[in-house]
Amino acid sequence: MKISREEIIHIAKLANLNLTDAEIDKYTNDMEDILTFANTVNNVNTDGVDEAIGTDNHNVFRKDEVKECFDRDELLKNAPSQDEGMFRIPKVIN
Amino acid sequence: MAREDYEVVIGLEVHSELSTKTKIFCSCPTEFGGEPNTHCCPVCMAMPGTLPVLNEKVVEYAVKAGIATNCEIAKNSKNDRKNYFYPDLPKAYQISQFDMPLCERGHVEIETENGPKTIRITRIHIEEDAGKLNHDEYGRGSFVDLNRAGVPLIEIVSEPDMRSKEEVEAYMRKLKSILEYIEVSDCKMQEGSLRADVNVSVRKKGEIKFGTRTEMKNMNSFRSIVRAVEYEANRQIDLIEAGGEVEQTTLRWDDISGKTFPMRDKEDAQDYRYFPDPDLVAIKISDEYVENIKNNLPELPESRKKRYIEEFKLPEYDAKLITASKYLSDLFENATKVCNNPKSVSNWIMSDITRILNEKEIEPDEIPFTAEQLGNLVVLIDKGTISTSIGKKVLTEMFENAEEPSKIIEKNGWVQISDEGAIKEVVMKVLEENAQSVADYKAGKDKALGYLVGQAMKATKGKANPGMLNKMFLEELKK
Amino acid sequence: MELYELTAHELRDKLANKEVTSKEITESFAKRIQEKEPDVKAFVNTTLDTAIQKAEEVDRKIASGEKLSSLAGIPIGIKDNICTKGVKTTCSSRMLENFVSPYDATVMEKINDEDLVMLGKLNMDEFAMGASTEYSYFKKTSNPWDLNKVPGGSSGGSAAAVAANMVPWALGSDTGGSVRQPASFCGVVGLKPTYGLVSRYGLVAFASSLDQIGPITKDVEDNAILLNMIAGHDEKDSTSANVEKKDYTKALVNDVKGLRIGLPKEYFGEGINPEVKEAVMKVAKKYEEMGATVEECSISVTDYALATYYILACAEASSNLGRFDGIRYGYRTENFNNLKDIYRNSRSEGFGPEVKRRIILGTYVLSSGYYDAYYKKALKVRTVVKQAFKELFKKYDVLLTPTSPTTAFDIGTRSNNPLEMYLADICTVSINIGGVPAISVPCGLDSQGMPIGFQLIGNHFDEETLYKAAYTYEQNTNFKENKPTFKK
């Protein structure tokens, strides 16, 4: 399967990864191999077969009851940057 | 060609926050406000290893909304992940529904100049709200507050069936009213619990193909939506007339300048990579479940309207206007319970309250006083404690400062003067000072009586009991 | 005999007889860790000081007559992708180098409820992506049988620590073989439970529809005991099965008469090392001798299991790993001017090459235009795989296969070609796709003295039959007596 460098660059962008030129080359090659192999799933006859998401469970629900919230300091203690109880990031203009 | 030669086509994606107690996938409260990040837990903060569990009420409320908008309810449904990066989206995916929404193919009816019109609803699905970014003016950065992250939403997607800004407003108001009546959302637009993405395109009249549409995101007031639709339609028409082409983009409406602007980040073509969320399980909805919800649906506006006409003898027009908003309707019913005078409550709502809402440009859900307070006001008038004209002043005051009417009256010294002696004193004084009018009256000019009463009212700052004044003047003039 | 040489159930009995204290046991393991860690490098972080305090606390409680779990005071090691409140959970990634979870995984709550003593967090391939533990950001763990060889992966630290007697038992996680393959490489017992039997709450997700936490132990009895502790419905995990709680130790019966064993021929084909194949065929023969029936069978769709696995696992991973964005926790680049820099640089610097490769693959197969051909198709193939297993379990009680096509290989000789590397998972991935349970049990050494493991695959929620079969084999052979040599 032929994959272009541009496709890998586009995919990396979607995934928010920066790739060096060498990485782009490497991943382009790797993806060609892996996707050619992955494509073999299309050899399986799945006519009339439903998709299996994973579990056979269904209708697993939670009651609408409030539980005590978590201590904010605990939730924020891993933050690389925080201020006034919020996660701080560079200014985002919408 | 002129603007009149174009037709505007509008479709809406309305987001409504559901009024469940807890978030959609964790047990944190949905309450509006609160200190930043205090309505949070590891799940809604997307801590590594955490998992979502669906709130049963969210499904129930969405199905309710589906039934109330004449949708078909899916027997099989599921949750999907919508993947994109944004700081208010802690998992980097929003749990939503893609190809198997809970409700599909519904419709609502709106009133237009040309009579009733059906707006089709494509689908209603459940999803989670995002958090909030706060920006500070010192440019130190932006700040992420995840209190709102995970608050349940339904998204109601309409077909592009609307043709004017008036229809858009009527449709939005209709949806708002329905959602309020079935008690699945408080629809407080000012708190963002009802907002819409508005899709606008234009085409020459008679054209079958739709024009290229633009989308305006996150509109949260009727006024902005109406203005934005008008602006955007005209912008597109002018563009086409100037030989240009409309580009399919996402726009931001700026309320201050009254213009739309393209959202940034055009370079990043979005690809949401939807796929079924493997952390959640299939949703199966039985006929019994749907029947049960149907049978327990709260009374809808049509039925209330009928009841008001029959039970309270309201004119149809009044009943319709009052029931158009659940807040007004509840206000009417609950105030009537207090004062047992539906006609008077209805009059207050139809006249003064509606006028003040319009002047203030606020929605009925923003009325600050309670139904009980309104009922008490009517009681005070009925008892003769105050006059109707003082009542109007009290009501105006209640909009500013939602106190008990009796308190407002007391504070302002507005109690009606019904003391015979006091009234007589005023009457005598007015008669003495207006000999000409007395003479006119006696000469057969009945109008002169009105003038005298008016003078007495003026002297008492409107507090004199008008019935007693009238009576006493007549008695004195007969002498 | 040193205390650290004993199994957990032996230690339990000694504690019950008051022959030893938890502190003595814990100190014995602490000493062993200090001695062997420089060679084996199994731990990302040890928690020996708090472990000894915890042991003393247990001893005090026992002395004061408090009623505790029979396993109170027994040490344990935990794979570093299971969240432990107050102790770093790194997933062996630079991304989470300093991450301290604010909550305990459900399995940790269960372990803490029974007053076990955690000795530390065990090394793994970064975010459980790999099969040799060489993809850890921090260190390469060595195989205790030959320090130049890999312990397997991704739960390599867990398997090596158990094999090296640095912990009596450990928890691992298995998405495509990550418990069973390292157990096989290190000569210990490893179980991948039925999907949904053990709560995933607090297991840092790699591929949500495939991940399961599983016990890695020195013998089958310990394995059943540890599964007893961690199995059970959890309302915090929607995919957790609401099935009746079982006592798996009741399945530890030395008897396989009449047991129907299927030998799926697809697992004995090309690419399986002849020594491994021979060893597993000997296991089949042994089972026949012990009264089971063994019959060749076929499950041809498993030829496509590996492709299906990589599509599903990478797609889910690409989404699961989106949350590592440098905002709320984890690594944040120092090199940024705007939000986009934070995203891209933090993720590019914080993730290793294999994680990035899988994110790219997963993003690709989910992207517009490819979803139907890859992801949707793979979901359908999963249905076919599940059905195929269901059919086979009408005829057989268990299936017998090799756990891995090879034994442990030399550190640094893993193929640079990812596809070849992925082929090493060929025997294990279809089990995760089918959601069924499987156990790896040691069955000998190859000509280089490296352990070989066989795999028994069971029907949904039929861990008992796996334990019965594995236990009977273990009781009637002496491979358990083989001990690692720490060859340098």
Side-chain angles (χ1 to χ4, degrees):
Chain A
M1 224 183 129
K2 197 75 198 138
I3 310 281
S4 68
R5 282 174 58 92
E6 286 64 41
E7 272 185 286
I8 295 299
I9 293 168
H10 169 70
I11 292 296
K13 224 178 216 179
L14 281 179
N16 261 321
L17 293 171
N18 281 330
L19 299 182
T20 62
D21 279 349
E23 282 176 315
I24 295 171
D25 289 336
K26 170 89 175 105
Y27 288 135
T28 306
N29 279 327
D30 289 352
M31 285 309 129
E32 281 191 8
D33 286 357
I34 299 170
L35 287 165
T36 304
F37 173 68
N39 209 15
T40 58
V41 293
N42 287 298
N43 299 338
V44 182
N45 180 357
T46 55
D47 292 348
V49 170
D50 285 338
E51 294 131 46
I53 294 171
T55 156
D56 297 330
N57 286 5
H58 64 90
N59 290 0
V60 175
F61 299 125
R62 181 173 56 74
K63 291 244 173 296
D64 186 27
E65 286 162 6
V66 176
K67 289 202 180 129
E68 211 179 314
C69 285
F70 233 71
D71 178 51
R72 180 167 74 178
D73 292 344
E74 275 290 295
L75 291 172
L76 266 70
K77 72 179 178 195
N78 285 289
S81 176
Q82 54 159 305
D83 202 355
E84 293 173 27
M86 289 181 277
F87 303 104
R88 185 169 158 187
I89 54 172
K91 186 152 180 98
V92 180
I93 319 132
N94 197 4
Chain B
M1 284 171 97
R3 280 182 180 166
E4 296 78 56
D5 298 320
Y6 284 85
E7 181 177 50
V8 188
V9 176
I10 308 130
L12 253 54
E13 289 158 29
V14 175
H15 291 89
S16 168
E17 276 184 357
L18 299 178
S19 49
T20 54
K21 292 194 201 80
T22 64
K23 293 187 177 180
I24 180 165
F25 297 118
C26 65
S27 302
C28 291
T30 51
E31 247 169 274
F32 181 74
E35 282 292 300
N37 293 312
T38 53
H39 297 171
C40 293
C41 72
V43 176
C44 52
M45 280 222 163
M47 286 289 174
T50 54
L51 297 170
V53 184
L54 182 55
N55 182 342
E56 61 180 1
K57 280 278 172 210
V58 171
V59 176
E60 184 188 320
Y61 283 12
V63 169
K64 258 188 193 174
I67 292 169
T69 52
N70 309 296
C71 284
E72 294 166 23
I73 309 301
K75 292 203 179 338
N76 292 295
S77 185
K78 66 180 166 73
N79 297 102
D80 299 281
R81 293 186 184 178
K82 178 182 181 179
N83 296 282
Y84 65 95
F85 287 87
Y86 205 69
D88 64 6
L89 189 71
K91 295 189 293 298
Y93 58 82
Q94 179 194 32
I95 304 178
S96 179
Q97 297 194 286
F98 182 52
D99 55 345
M100 294 166 74
L102 274 172
C103 318
E104 282 183 284
R105 289 178 293 275
H107 63 266
V108 295
E109 204 154 271
I110 59 167
E111 298 289 335
T112 74
E113 296 175 334
N114 311 316
K117 176 172 176 176
T118 299
I119 307 296
R120 291 169 299 158
I121 287 169
T122 319
R123 56 185 279 163
I124 301 179
H125 69 251
I126 53 173
E127 60 184 26
E128 55 183 336
D129 208 344
K132 234 178 179 167
L133 295 189
N134 296 309
H135 311 283
D136 83 350
E137 58 267 48
Y138 312 113
R140 291 182 306 142
S142 297
F143 301 86
V144 187
D145 171 9
L146 297 173
N147 279 350
R148 203 181 61 181
V151 167
L153 295 175
I154 48 174
E155 179 174 330
I156 305 169
V157 183
S158 83
E159 293 289 317
D161 282 351
M162 284 154 274
R163 295 290 176 270
S164 68
K165 58 181 200 273
E166 289 80 13
E167 289 183 15
V168 171
E169 182 170 358
Y171 170 73
M172 276 292 279
R173 287 197 182 274
K174 183 74 182 201
L175 275 189
K176 183 171 187 283
S177 155
I178 291 171
L179 296 176
E180 285 167 357
Y181 272 104
I182 59 175
E183 294 169 343
V184 301
S185 172
D186 62 15
C187 292
K188 287 191 176 155
M189 296 182 87
Q190 65 282 8
E191 290 178 7
S193 66
L194 187 74
R195 42 191 208 262
D197 299 343
V198 183
N199 291 289
V200 177
S201 67
V202 298
R203 61 180 173 188
K204 295 197 172 106
K205 280 186 180 157
E207 183 79 53
I208 295 162
K209 242 181 80 195
F210 288 127
T212 306
R213 68 190 162 89
T214 57
E215 181 177 20
M216 291 175 285
K217 288 264 185 207
N218 263 327
M219 314 278 303
N220 65 352
S221 86
F222 289 120
R223 205 174 105 85
S224 309
I225 291 170
V226 167
R227 286 175 68 208
V229 167
E230 180 166 37
Y231 172 85
E232 181 57 17
N234 287 337
R235 188 191 69 85
Q236 291 184 14
I237 294 167
D238 294 347
L239 189 63
I240 294 167
E241 284 294 300
E245 253 178 51
V246 177
E247 213 183 321
Q248 181 161 353
T249 44
T250 305
L251 303 171
R252 184 176 59 83
W253 166 254
D254 181 62
D255 225 10
I256 297 159
S257 65
K259 290 179 176 170
T260 55
F261 296 97
M263 301 252 262
R264 291 178 327 122
D265 274 350
K266 245 199 255 172
E267 49 153 330
D268 298 331
Q270 283 292 9
D271 181 348
Y272 291 126
R273 289 159 284 137
Y274 279 101
F275 72 103
D277 191 333
D279 286 331
L280 290 158
V281 303
I283 303 168
K284 296 188 184 211
I285 303 213
S286 68
D287 293 343
E288 293 78 12
Y289 181 87
V290 176
E291 268 319 297
N292 191 34
I293 290 179
K294 238 180 220 168
N295 295 336
N296 290 297
L297 221 51
E299 191 184 12
L300 291 173
E302 269 312 304
S303 152
R304 283 204 193 188
K305 191 177 103 186
K306 228 173 118 193
R307 191 158 55 79
Y308 292 179
I309 295 168
E310 283 166 10
E311 195 176 316
F312 298 128
K313 312 284 179 240
L314 296 195
E316 184 175 350
Y317 178 80
D318 296 16
K320 194 164 157 184
L321 192 135
I322 289 171
T323 55
S325 153
K326 174 165 188 284
Y327 284 92
L328 284 186
S329 181
D330 285 348
L331 184 69
F332 168 75
E333 293 200 13
N334 293 327
T336 299
K337 266 182 212 148
V338 173
C339 65
N340 203 17
N341 186 349
K343 183 72 205 149
S344 174
V345 174
S346 159
N347 283 342
W348 282 106
I349 290 175
M350 296 296 297
S351 57
D352 290 77
I353 290 178
T354 304
R355 178 181 51 79
I356 295 172
L357 288 178
N358 285 336
E359 280 168 11
K360 288 181 162 301
E361 288 182 15
I362 59 173
E363 294 299 317
D365 58 67
E366 294 168 87
I367 292 174
F369 53 82
T370 63
E372 200 182 2
Q373 289 170 338
L374 177 63
N376 288 337
L377 175 64
V378 174
V379 169
L380 289 169
I381 295 165
D382 289 350
K383 278 200 317 202
T385 311
I386 55 169
S387 65
T388 304
S389 57
I390 291 288
K392 286 176 194 280
K393 283 169 129 181
V394 173
L395 185 78
T396 309
E397 193 56 30
M398 281 160 71
F399 267 97
E400 299 309 320
N401 198 347
E403 277 183 302
E404 272 303 322
S406 56
K407 269 227 179 95
I408 293 174
I409 292 162
E410 192 191 310
K411 224 165 54 186
N412 292 288
W414 283 342
V415 179
Q416 183 162 276
I417 302 170
S418 301
D419 175 74
E420 214 161 311
I423 293 210
K424 181 144 195 181
E425 204 171 299
V426 178
V427 168
M428 296 317 286
K429 193 162 172 257
V430 170
L431 289 172
E432 204 178 295
E433 286 169 1
N434 295 281
Q436 184 58 50
S437 298
V438 175
D440 288 350
Y441 180 82
K442 289 193 167 159
K445 287 188 185 165
D446 286 354
K447 256 166 102 188
L449 175 64
Y451 177 78
L452 290 168
V453 172
Q455 288 305 108
M457 273 299 198
K458 208 168 162 189
T460 57
K461 298 200 177 80
K463 289 187 291 185
N465 183 324
M468 286 177 74
L469 269 185
N470 241 330
K471 201 172 143 225
M472 211 167 277
F473 269 119
L474 282 173
E475 279 171 20
E476 288 303 321
L477 288 166
K478 265 186 210 151
K479 284 182 186 167
Chain C
M1 193 154 196
E2 298 285 342
L3 286 171
Y4 60 71
E5 292 176 75
L6 301 177
T7 61
H9 60 87
E10 287 163 344
L11 293 169
R12 175 197 64 195
D13 295 344
K14 284 195 180 302
L15 269 172
N17 295 334
K18 307 229 187 293
E19 289 171 51
V20 289
T21 62
S22 172
K23 190 179 179 194
E24 284 162 354
I25 294 171
T26 307
E27 280 174 342
S28 171
F29 281 99
K31 203 173 127 247
R32 177 70 170 178
I33 290 169
Q34 274 153 2
E35 187 185 309
K36 289 296 174 193
E37 178 61 11
D39 284 341
V40 181
K41 301 181 282 290
F43 284 87
V44 177
N45 285 300
T46 54
T47 52
L48 301 182
D49 291 346
T50 48
I52 296 205
Q53 284 169 17
K54 171 78 188 175
E56 286 170 342
E57 184 195 318
V58 171
D59 286 335
R60 264 199 309 277
K61 284 184 185 170
I62 292 172
S64 71
E66 210 171 301
K67 184 101 184 79
L68 297 180
S69 147
S70 63
L71 296 160
I74 307 278
I76 191 167
I78 305 293
K79 187 177 180 179
D80 209 16
N81 60 350
I82 295 171
C83 286
T84 45
K85 189 174 173 176
V87 175
K88 281 182 193 170
T89 299
T90 71
C91 293
S92 289
S93 178
R94 184 184 194 193
M95 183 59 86
L96 291 177
E97 189 168 4
N98 296 307
F99 176 72
V100 179
S101 171
Y103 74 98
D104 267 325
T106 296
V107 292
M108 287 314 300
E109 286 181 350
K110 290 174 186 275
I111 281 170
N112 293 335
D113 283 350
E114 303 226 12
D115 288 306
L116 268 73
V117 176
M118 185 175 77
L119 295 173
K121 303 296 290 286
L122 294 157
N123 199 23
M124 55 188 279
D125 287 297
E126 183 179 0
F127 284 104
M129 296 177 184
S132 66
T133 313
E134 290 171 286
Y135 281 125
S136 165
Y137 171 70
F138 303 110
K139 55 181 82 167
K140 292 182 169 64
T141 299
S142 286
N143 191 313
W145 295 78
D146 179 342
L147 300 173
N148 298 305
K149 291 189 186 293
V150 302
S154 65
S155 311
S158 299
V162 174
N165 289 332
M166 293 155 82
V167 297
W169 53 11
L171 289 184
S173 72
D174 189 316
T175 305
S178 283
V179 160
R180 292 159 287 157
Q181 183 256 23
S184 145
F185 277 19
C186 293
V188 293
V189 179
L191 175 88
K192 197 291 283 185
T194 306
Y195 185 79
L197 184 65
V198 178
S199 168
R200 293 187 295 114
Y201 190 80
L203 170 66
V204 181
F206 162 12
S208 315
S209 74
L210 304 164
D211 295 341
Q212 269 291 288
I213 293 169
I216 298 177
T217 57
K218 291 184 201 172
D219 68 5
V220 176
E221 182 171 347
D222 270 2
N223 210 280
I225 294 168
L226 191 46
L227 184 65
N228 271 352
M229 203 184 310
I230 61 173
H233 179 244
D234 180 12
E235 56 184 31
K236 293 198 203 100
D237 175 1
S238 308
T239 63
S240 160
N242 205 343
V243 289
E244 208 184 320
K245 188 115 175 122
K246 290 175 180 170
D247 178 0
Y248 296 101
T249 60
K250 290 205 172 122
L252 302 172
V253 182
N254 185 353
D255 177 18
V256 289
K257 276 184 212 75
L259 188 79
R260 301 167 303 167
I261 300 176
L263 226 49
K265 61 174 192 235
E266 290 79 7
Y267 289 78
F268 293 88
E270 240 178 288
I272 308 293
N273 175 303
E275 283 190 76
V276 171
K277 199 187 287 184
E278 197 191 320
V280 179
M281 291 313 291
K282 272 190 189 157
V283 174
K285 191 159 275 161
K286 181 74 195 176
Y287 271 116
E288 274 186 323
E289 284 168 26
M290 297 187 295
T293 61
V294 179
E295 191 179 285
E296 191 182 89
C297 63
S298 170
I299 176 161
S300 60
V301 69
T302 60
D303 286 347
Y304 300 101
L306 195 61
T308 308
Y309 171 78
Y310 275 93
I311 294 169
L312 295 178
C314 293
E316 292 179 18
S318 73
S319 174
N320 284 332
L321 269 56
R323 68 187 62 196
F324 302 104
D325 57 8
I327 295 180
R328 294 166 312 286
Y329 45 74
Y331 178 80
R332 175 184 280 196
T333 181
E334 286 177 2
N335 166 25
F336 67 89
N337 289 313
N338 54 41
L339 179 68
K340 195 164 282 176
D341 290 346
I342 288 199
Y343 280 153
R344 293 199 177 159
N345 296 342
S346 301
R347 289 168 61 78
S348 302
E349 294 160 24
F351 290 140
E354 180 58 21
V355 173
K356 284 190 238 182
R357 180 166 26 234
R358 295 197 194 196
I359 290 175
I360 288 173
L361 175 60
T363 306
Y364 186 93
V365 298
L366 288 175
S367 68
S368 143
Y370 299 104
Y371 178 81
D372 284 2
Y374 291 107
Y375 195 75
K376 195 168 182 179
K377 182 72 184 184
L379 289 180
K380 288 182 176 174
V381 176
R382 166 147 60 194
T383 306
V384 177
V385 171
K386 283 185 160 186
Q387 281 167 351
F389 274 119
K390 205 178 251 177
E391 282 307 308
L392 274 184
F393 286 117
K394 284 181 186 163
K395 279 178 81 177
Y396 306 104
D397 300 307
V398 293
L399 306 176
L400 170 63
T401 77
T403 305
S404 166
T406 66
T407 53
F409 47 86
D410 286 347
I411 291 173
T413 61
R414 175 201 63 212
S415 171
N416 257 334
N417 179 323
L419 196 54
E420 276 175 32
M421 188 173 78
Y422 297 167
L423 281 168
D425 301 335
I426 193 93
C427 298
T428 43
V429 294
S430 57
I431 286 83
N432 299 75
I433 292 171
V436 291
I439 192 167
S440 178
V441 182
C443 63
L445 303 176
D446 71 0
S447 50
Q448 292 186 61
M450 296 307 290
I452 301 173
F454 70 90
Q455 171 175 254
L456 292 170
I457 309 168
N459 203 352
H460 277 100
F461 300 108
D462 191 12
E463 278 77 3
E464 288 143 303
T465 305
L466 290 184
Y467 279 137
K468 185 171 92 169
Y471 182 75
T472 306
Y473 179 83
E474 188 187 65
Q475 294 300 306
N476 291 280
T477 55
N478 53 9
F479 297 114
K480 210 173 90 171
E481 310 310 321
N482 292 330
K483 293 294 173 209
T485 50
F486 300 92
K487 188 174 134 195
K488 291 203 178 171

